[in-house]
Every structure is written in structure tokens, then in C-alpha cells.
Amino acid sequence: MTFRLHHVQYARSIRILWLIEEIGLEEKLGRTLEVVEYQIGSKQMYEGELPKVSTASRVPALEIGNKRISESGAIVQYLIEEFAPELGVDPGGAERTDYLQWIHYSETMASLVEQLNLQMVFLRPPAKPSPIVIKLNVARLRHTLVGLDARLADRDWLLDKGFSGADIMLGFNLFAVPYYVKLDEFPNILAYKARIEAMPSYQRVIEREGEQRFYQQDFYPVPEE
Ligand SMILES: N[C@@H](CCC(=O)N[C@@H](CS)C(=O)NCC(=O)O)C(=O)O
């Protein structure tokens, strides 16, 4: 049986590695996950096997049995429905709308990080980052954090029922967000991040990933106009 993840170090595909660890899916399936790793932006992402699994040539893309699925949120929902329903909320369940809301909120946040990555990490001279676009995106990203911090004011995880797929989706973002917005003003997010980082499944993934190779500095301030 095919069990293969297309992955980029510390990219959204981490969500899937983490979920697979958390579920113990390799043991459940009796299969070792094959991880196909790419350099972000490399031509292998566009010319190799990846476009057959993700029509947008993006990671994560998962092959499992005869199924091919991309979009991290779709993969998280699918794997939870099939193998770990306790990490999800079924239609009609008490926190169903919150569950869906926070799964997708995670991508609002991640897409802002992606815009900032594009400006601050990918652009090469003579192209120059746009201070005003960066300033607007940092403000928008910060705004998503205000909402998250409020949500976490009176609960440990995004749902009252406890840790769920929504935390897997959102938790990954907190690896990248601090490169653009300092988290000190968000005590609930800091405590949540610490809870995530204490999880054995998360730690195993971080150990697998090793030192991140994407960001060249610890913090990227908004450039002067
Ligand atoms: N909404 C998609 C976004 C996937 C995505 O954009 N992945 C990035 C890595 S985090 C990617 O593959 N980028 C390829 C590129 O920029 O060329 C998801 O949640 O899976």
C-alpha cells in the first residue's frame, strides 16, 4: 500500500507529519511513511511527481492507498475521519462550527506568513521588498493573533473538548509567526505554544526536521520606507 508524503522542511506539510505521529498512523497501517522531500521553489516541485498529486505543485500532498490528496486542511480532516475521529468533531457535533472555523482560520494566518516570506526571504536583488505591503501584512497577521489570543484566554486548546485537528493546523503557524510578530504581547498564545512544544508527537517531528534552514535571521522587522 502506498503511504507517501511530499514535504518541504518546516512547511505546511509538517502538519501532516505531526498528525501521523500523533495518531500513530504508521503503526495503525503497518506501513512506514515514505517522505519525498523538496527544496522550496525548486524545479523538482514542478516537474517531478508532485504535480500529479497536487495540481498546484504544493506541499503537503499525500498518497495513501489509491487516494491522492493535497491541501493540509483536507488531509487533516480526512486522516482524522478515517483513523482518529477523537481528534475531530463530526457533523452535528457540539463544537463542529468551531472546529471548521479554526481549521480554516489557520490558513488565513499561514497565507499572511507566506506573503511575508515572499517579500522578506524569497525576493532577490534587483527586486526589493515593499515596506508598505509588509507593514500591512504584519498588521493583518497581528490581528489574527489578537483573535487567537482571545480564543485561548479560557481554554488550553482551540476546542473545549481538548486537543484536536484544529490545533495541528494552527500549531504549525506558531513556528513561523514569531519571525514577523513578537509573541510577548500574547500570553495565552505563548502558553499554548509551550503546550504544543511539550507534546511528544510534536517533539518527534521537530527532531526529524532538525535545524530550520529557511530563515536567515531570528526576526524580520518591517523595513524602513
Ligand atoms: N492551502 C495550502 C497551501 C499549500 C502551500 O502553499 N504550501 C507551500 C509550502 S508551506 C508550498 O508548497 N509552496 C510552494 C511554492 O511556493 O512554490 C495548504 O494548506 O496545504
Side-chain angles (χ1 to χ4, degrees):
M1 183 196 135
T2 311
F3 186 35
R4 183 179 299 127
L5 178 70
H6 299 262
H7 172 61
V8 166
Q9 195 212 26
Y10 286 103
R12 287 171 174 95
S13 39
I14 269 221
R15 292 169 170 157
I16 313 308
L17 285 175
W18 181 15
L19 179 61
I20 287 170
E21 282 289 339
E22 179 63 23
I23 298 178
L25 192 53
E26 290 181 310
E27 294 74 22
K28 276 192 184 176
L29 294 176
R31 284 272 178 278
T32 302
L33 177 71
E34 183 191 336
V35 180
V36 184
E37 197 153 345
Y38 302 85
Q39 291 296 321
I40 189 88
S42 65
K43 72 177 194 311
Q44 284 79 8
M45 288 187 78
Y46 296 89
E47 294 174 357
E49 285 299 298
L50 182 58
K52 297 181 192 154
V53 189
S54 160
T55 50
S57 286
R58 293 194 163 223
V59 300
L62 182 72
E63 299 172 69
I64 180 164
N66 60 4
K67 301 223 174 340
R68 294 173 156 191
I69 179 167
S70 58
E71 289 296 331
S72 58
I75 299 172
V76 164
Q77 280 188 251
Y78 173 72
L79 292 181
I80 286 176
E81 283 167 17
E82 290 288 317
F83 303 105
E86 68 282 2
L87 293 180
V89 182
D90 291 336
E95 294 187 278
R96 175 73 175 174
T97 50
D98 289 327
Y99 176 61
L100 295 178
Q101 146 101 18
W102 286 102
I103 282 183
H104 295 278
Y105 192 98
S106 306
E107 272 300 283
T108 296
M109 196 183 270
S111 63
L112 290 166
V113 172
E114 184 177 330
Q115 290 302 312
L116 289 163
N117 288 343
L118 201 70
Q119 293 269 339
M120 303 296 265
V121 183
F122 283 111
L123 283 190
R124 292 281 173 270
K128 282 204 198 114
S130 160
I132 184 65
V133 172
I134 293 165
K135 196 172 162 187
L136 284 172
N137 276 334
V138 166
R140 286 148 65 98
L141 179 58
R142 201 185 152 277
H143 207 69
T144 67
L145 295 167
V146 171
L148 175 62
D149 199 65
R151 176 71 186 173
L152 294 168
D154 49 6
R155 50 179 73 70
D156 283 353
W157 304 106
L158 288 168
L159 300 186
D160 290 333
K161 74 175 224 146
F163 184 81
S164 74
D167 297 298
I168 298 237
M169 286 295 293
L170 204 130
F172 151 76
N173 295 348
L174 299 179
F175 158 77
V177 163
Y179 287 96
Y180 299 113
V181 178
K182 295 205 162 123
L183 293 180
D184 313 3
E185 62 174 303
F186 301 111
N188 303 319
I189 297 179
L190 280 176
Y192 175 68
K193 188 166 182 283
R195 278 191 286 281
I196 286 171
E197 288 168 356
M199 291 182 72
S201 56
Y202 187 82
Q203 287 173 358
R204 285 197 292 276
V205 171
I206 297 302
E207 199 175 313
R208 179 201 178 282
E209 293 292 89
E211 210 46 37
Q212 71 82 24
R213 299 186 291 271
F214 183 71
Y215 296 105
Q216 284 102 50
Q217 48 196 78
D218 293 340
F219 184 71
Y220 289 82
V222 177
E224 299 287 320
E225 297 209 28

